Amino acid sequence: MKEPVNQTFQTALIAAIPNLRAFAISLCGNVQTANDLVQETMLKAWANRHRFEEGSNFKAWLFTILRNSYFSDFRRGKREVRDEDGVAAASLSSLPEQHGHMDMIDFQRALAQLSEDQKEALILVGAEGFSYEETAEICGCAVGTIKSRVNRARARLVELMGVGSADDFGPEGVSQAVMSKAVQ
Amino acid sequence: MPGSTFAVDEPHAILDELIQAQIGQQLSSFYKELVNQPIPQNFIDLLAKLDRLEDGT
């Protein structure tokens, strides 16, 4: 009677793959490495599936496996591929040429300049939608630590992208924004 | 700047807020883009293999 359990596990695992991949790509900035990382995560999750506690957060469990694999083996290990310039082109190559495309590449470049800790916290909270508490559990640190990492990540991104963004609004945009704020 | 006739308290704080909101938006569209990419076929194959391996034992 093991099969239905495996089936459920497998279905849940497949459902989580897109998010695991997105997290892995954001973290290591390289699609090939990210795919290896996701594959390793899947193998570890499968091998340890009996340890998963029924009723607990499956996605958080998988993300914990992935980030632990990344920080223990991938980051400084032999598999590391430093490719900061190729990053954007590789992972976003499937995007059609469109207005937002360059913005996205700029964004990914800025993201790549954050420290690993800050990037991880920002993605988990800001993009993946985990709570600070869940993120703290995934990363194995205090909630306060996650909060300050997220804040520092945001501040750093403003620094990295702030000037261009301010220009984007233009003098009129800023006045308008200021005005609408003043009206409130 | 001519034309700034209305009172402004903290333009920088407001600008920061705008930039912050924009960054939040870019973060989520960047991430959404990645999440929407198709799953590599070898991932599905891998799971199928694991399942079969299990059946064999």
Side-chain angles (χ1 to χ4, degrees):
Chain A
M1 289 304 279
K2 258 184 182 174
E3 259 174 62
V5 175
N6 280 345
Q7 202 56 49
T8 311
F9 190 89
Q10 196 175 343
T11 307
L13 194 51
I14 290 174
I17 289 174
N19 293 69
L20 290 171
R21 258 190 101 243
F23 179 50
I25 294 171
S26 314
L27 214 51
C28 54
N30 176 288
V31 176
Q32 194 46 56
T33 312
N35 282 341
D36 288 351
L37 187 54
V38 172
Q39 212 161 68
E40 184 165 313
T41 302
M42 289 165 64
L43 288 170
K44 282 184 184 168
W46 186 264
N48 290 288
R49 64 192 182 283
H50 316 102
R51 292 203 203 171
F52 174 71
E53 288 168 36
E54 203 69 42
S56 60
N57 189 333
F58 185 61
K59 201 167 102 176
W61 185 70
L62 292 176
F63 272 66
T64 308
I65 296 175
L66 189 145
R67 63 85 60 195
N68 287 347
S69 302
Y70 176 68
F71 284 105
S72 62
D73 309 333
F74 278 72
R75 193 173 47 161
R76 281 184 224 123
K78 50 198 180 296
R79 280 181 274 194
E80 184 185 29
V81 186
R82 273 269 157 216
D83 177 26
E84 301 213 332
D85 266 357
V87 162
S91 61
L92 296 172
S93 59
S94 63
L95 282 178
E97 284 301 326
Q98 60 189 25
H99 181 64
H101 190 56
M102 281 316 293
D103 279 356
M104 202 79 98
I105 290 174
D106 286 347
F107 181 78
Q108 196 172 9
R109 289 230 168 90
L111 197 65
Q113 291 183 57
L114 298 180
S115 74
E116 305 274 13
D117 287 349
Q118 291 176 14
K119 199 170 24 175
E120 175 184 44
L122 179 74
I123 296 290
L124 291 173
V125 173
E128 198 49 69
F130 283 114
S131 67
Y132 284 113
E133 288 73 17
E134 287 168 329
T135 304
E137 200 145 315
I138 291 169
C139 304
C141 61
V143 176
T145 308
I146 295 300
K147 284 185 180 166
S148 87
R149 282 177 188 169
V150 171
N151 288 340
R152 274 183 286 135
R154 288 191 170 134
R156 181 87 180 103
L157 283 181
V158 168
E159 258 174 54
L160 290 165
M161 308 195 67
V163 177
S165 305
D167 287 349
D168 287 349
F169 288 115
E172 244 170 70
V174 172
S175 320
Q176 267 168 19
V178 169
M179 192 150 61
S180 69
K181 196 78 186 174
V183 166
Q184 284 172 5
Chain B
M1 194 185 175
S4 295
T5 48
F6 44 87
V8 177
D9 291 334
E10 297 167 49
H12 285 293
I14 292 164
L15 190 58
D16 266 6
E17 237 174 81
L18 280 174
I19 294 168
Q20 203 58 261
Q22 201 197 22
I23 284 174
Q25 223 166 29
Q26 273 179 308
L27 173 62
S28 51
S29 56
F30 159 76
Y31 202 76
K32 226 175 263 166
E33 208 56 64
L34 295 179
V35 170
N36 287 334
Q37 286 182 5
I39 300 175
Q41 183 57 40
N42 56 333
F43 287 179
I44 310 285
D45 295 345
L46 176 70
L47 280 175
K49 254 182 240 165
L50 289 172
D51 210 28
R52 258 179 276 135
L53 206 70
E54 192 76 6
D55 285 349
T57 53

